[in-house]
Amino acid sequence: MKITGLKVYQVDLPLHEGNYSWSEGKSVEVFDSTVVVVETDAGFTGCGEVCPLGPVYLPAYAAGARTGLQELGPQLLGEDPTQLLKLNRTMDRVLKGHPYVKSAVDMACWDILGKVAGLPVCSLLGGRYGEDVVLYRAISQRPAAEMAENVAAYRAEGYRRFQLKVGGRPDDDIERIHAVREILEPEDKLVADANTGWLMHEAMRVVNAVRHVDVYIEQPCPSYEQCLSIRRNTTLPFVLDEVIDSVDAILKGAADGAMDVVNIKISKFGGLTKAKQARDLCVSLGIAMTIEDSWGGDIITAAISHLAHSTPTEYLFTSTDFNSYVTKSIADGAPQRVNGRMAASTEPGLGVIPKFDVLGDPVWEFRL
Ligand code: MG
């Protein structure tokens, strides 16, 4: 089978809450997402999506994804989309680095492989564990009382796991963590995600102030070494996210005992192929995971659901349903949250059909 065409679409995804704010005053009002459709000579097509969390979260930005695809796309024409490892080697040979640029192409090719095999992607990724997967809700940074109100409202919708956006002034963050934990039940899980926003002395003040609170601390500082220093000075369970972007990073973190949980974001690793490799390594090493992406709409949510649903349940700390945060649907068939949980489609491939009337005309198109 050969790739005969690639189409690249741009779509804006506004937020139900109006904006999403995290550490150091960073904020996004409308997410700029990119959808890739891969066409083949066998009549199968697949779709993928990549949506950076604005330009200031990871070394990734929306226009960069499209510019990268303009470079990458023509060089993939004629390649076999069903030979995923080989295709990834080709992508890495013709474009060094830039994993997020490759993510949507890889995702689309898994969609094609599933359709060819007549199997949902989660079966191809290892199998389906249980009926559904558990979700967390990210709580945008606001004053403490407002965040507690938002957690209560999302809890009423069925969520039981919450990720507070902290990484602001330490005194405010301490207040946020206490205010939210007070309204939760003992079995609920709370993560305080600083998104690299604290200096080490600030992180130490926070972890000391909340040392008797049932809370996980996520990515307190920018560098791995800074996070490790905090990790070694707290007994709170510890999550690494931004600095975990490769197999090497996972192996180093495991060897150092640097974390209890890691966040596997599909585009941070460069697609489902590499995210699966990281996921399988974490299972072998005994490290629990949040399976997600930086952001996205229906197609990314579908891809997340397949990777999450094929992860052994005890290793899946949480997952996420980004399509419920945004006001626009870009595909039919995507998972819909029920009681704070979602399930991967049982249809072949990713199980989503892009809404081309919403996507409009492609911004780039390449053909054999
Ligand atoms: Mg995080």
Side-chain angles (χ1 to χ4, degrees):
M1 191 182 300
K2 276 185 188 161
I3 295 175
T4 53
L6 274 107
K7 289 179 180 166
V8 179
Y9 300 85
Q10 187 278 331
V11 64
D12 285 336
L13 301 174
L15 287 155
H16 286 294
E17 283 190 20
N19 70 68
Y20 179 76
S21 302
W22 67 102
S23 65
E24 303 171 276
K26 294 168 189 166
S27 184
V28 169
E29 288 179 5
V30 177
F31 282 93
D32 180 345
S33 197
T34 299
V35 172
V36 172
V37 172
V38 174
E39 298 169 340
T40 65
D41 61 353
F44 293 102
T45 63
C47 63
E49 183 185 3
V50 60
C51 184
L53 184 55
V56 290
Y57 174 61
L58 289 173
Y61 67 107
R66 293 186 289 274
T67 302
L69 285 162
Q70 195 184 9
E71 183 78 27
L72 186 65
Q75 307 196 64
L76 300 179
L77 297 174
E79 292 292 320
D80 188 336
T82 65
Q83 300 190 20
L84 270 304
L85 289 170
K86 204 174 157 197
L87 182 80
N88 270 270
R89 284 178 67 89
T90 300
M91 289 200 284
D92 288 341
R93 196 180 65 243
V94 300
L95 180 66
K96 186 129 183 117
H98 302 279
Y100 73 109
V101 168
K102 300 160 187 170
S103 188
V105 174
D106 177 78
M107 211 178 268
C109 292
W110 276 95
D111 190 24
I112 290 170
L113 180 63
K115 289 173 180 171
V116 171
L119 291 169
V121 168
C122 79
S123 295
L124 300 172
L125 291 172
R128 185 183 298 263
Y129 289 89
E131 293 297 306
D132 52 20
V133 299
V134 65
L135 302 169
Y136 76 84
R137 188 77 191 188
I139 305 298
S140 183
Q141 192 174 109
R142 314 262 190 258
E146 215 177 302
M147 289 174 85
E149 272 172 38
N150 287 342
V151 167
Y154 287 118
R155 197 175 186 285
E157 291 183 18
Y159 287 104
R160 293 292 180 269
R161 302 185 183 194
F162 302 93
Q163 190 193 79
L164 292 188
K165 291 295 152 187
V166 289
R169 288 182 54 240
D171 292 315
D172 296 340
D173 289 334
I174 292 163
E175 193 188 346
R176 289 177 173 117
I177 292 166
H178 282 295
V180 171
R181 188 68 244 189
E182 269 171 29
I183 64 149
L184 293 177
E185 294 296 323
E187 64 273 20
D188 298 343
K189 286 201 170 75
L190 179 64
V191 176
D193 185 1
N195 287 111
T196 76
W198 293 323
L199 296 178
M200 284 188 288
H201 70 95
E202 296 174 319
M204 283 310 304
R205 282 197 59 226
V206 177
V207 297
N208 285 336
V210 302
R211 66 188 180 282
H212 297 304
V213 177
D214 182 6
V215 62
Y216 293 66
I217 300 296
E218 179 169 332
Q219 189 76 40
C221 302
S223 78
Y224 173 79
E225 289 74 16
Q226 292 161 2
C227 289
L228 185 59
S229 158
I230 306 306
R231 158 72 165 180
R232 287 180 171 156
N233 285 289
T234 177
T235 55
L236 293 171
F238 211 79
V239 185
L240 287 181
D241 184 353
E242 283 89 334
V243 295
I244 299 294
D245 57 1
S246 64
V247 161
D248 285 349
I250 294 168
L251 287 172
K252 180 160 174 50
D256 292 343
M259 70 280 175
D260 305 296
V261 180
V262 294
N263 291 9
I264 306 289
K265 290 185 159 83
I266 295 170
S267 61
K268 190 172 59 174
F269 284 84
L272 281 169
T273 301
K274 289 179 179 175
K276 175 191 186 297
Q277 187 188 21
R279 187 274 309 271
D280 294 342
L281 176 63
C282 285
V283 171
S284 297
L285 293 168
I287 300 165
M289 289 158 276
T290 287
I291 303 277
E292 57 170 352
D293 209 327
S294 28
W295 203 270
D298 285 315
I299 299 169
I300 279 175
T301 302
I304 291 168
S305 74
H306 286 282
L307 188 62
H309 216 148
S310 62
T311 300
T313 307
E314 65 272 31
Y315 287 98
L316 185 68
F317 181 63
T318 55
S319 185
T320 191
D321 60 325
F322 286 124
N323 62 346
S324 79
Y325 292 66
V326 298
T327 62
K328 193 183 286 180
S329 170
I330 59 167
D332 288 314
Q336 303 299 319
R337 164 172 43 93
V338 178
N339 281 330
R341 307 182 69 89
M342 71 175 174
S345 170
T346 54
E347 295 293 314
L350 292 173
V352 288
I353 301 161
K355 294 180 177 173
F356 290 104
D357 56 328
V358 174
L359 297 178
D361 294 327
V363 290
W364 305 116
E365 188 171 356
F366 311 102
R367 318 218 132 268
L368 254 191

